[in-house]
Amino acid sequence: QVRLVESGGQLVQAGGSLRLSCAASGPTFSDYAVGWFRQRPGLEREFVATISWNIGTTYYADSVKGRFTISRDNAENTVYLQMNSLKSEDTAVYYCAAGRTIVSGRPNALEAWGQGTLVIVSP
């Protein structure tokens, strides 16, 4: 069973950048697709980005396309989310999750979630 721990969340000004990390432990992390999700205040959790386990195919929500970049380092068992040109509406708790497949550009058959890391973007 893979276990995930997010880090990197903090207060940042609008227009700034931040990189989140999702560190995994447990066997066969490289077999999983990993996705980032976020939950903004008062809203349901939503998909942000995902990356496949093999050749690193990526998918993004329209709201972050062109600003966020997901990447993975299987040797380090870590997935990153580079966030640029941050906006106040990016304020959220960000979660990573691991799943066995990607369906319609979303990670599927999710087996593990991290505890979340808080990002606050000040105007």
Side-chain angles (χ1 to χ4, degrees):
Q1 180 81 23
V2 66
R3 293 175 295 278
L4 306 173
V5 177
E6 304 94 334
S7 62
Q10 64 181 46
L11 174 65
V12 63
Q13 286 190 327
S17 297
L18 205 56
R19 188 177 79 161
L20 305 183
S21 298
C22 173
S25 59
T28 63
F29 171 67
S30 59
D31 289 346
Y32 288 85
V34 176
W36 284 96
F37 295 78
R38 67 184 182 187
Q39 187 161 17
R40 294 185 279 177
L43 299 177
E44 294 186 352
R45 192 173 299 186
E46 62 181 353
F47 166 76
V48 174
T50 191
I51 186 165
S52 67
W53 65 272
N54 47 7
I55 59 174
T57 305
T58 58
Y59 301 90
Y60 297 92
D62 288 344
S63 59
V64 305
K65 201 172 294 183
R67 299 188 299 123
F68 290 10
T69 302
I70 188 172
S71 62
R72 67 187 297 159
D73 184 337
N74 283 341
E76 296 294 328
N77 283 355
T78 303
V79 170
Y80 302 99
L81 185 68
Q82 177 67 42
M83 306 186 295
N84 298 328
S85 302
L86 283 162
K87 306 175 183 179
S88 57
E89 52 263 44
D90 294 318
T91 293
V93 178
Y94 285 74
Y95 301 87
C96 63
R100 288 294 185 174
T101 62
I102 292 177
V103 177
S104 300
R106 302 289 187 271
N108 194 46
L110 297 176
E111 296 184 6
W113 287 86
Q115 84 291 346
T117 186
L118 177 61
V119 173
I120 300 175
V121 184
S122 63

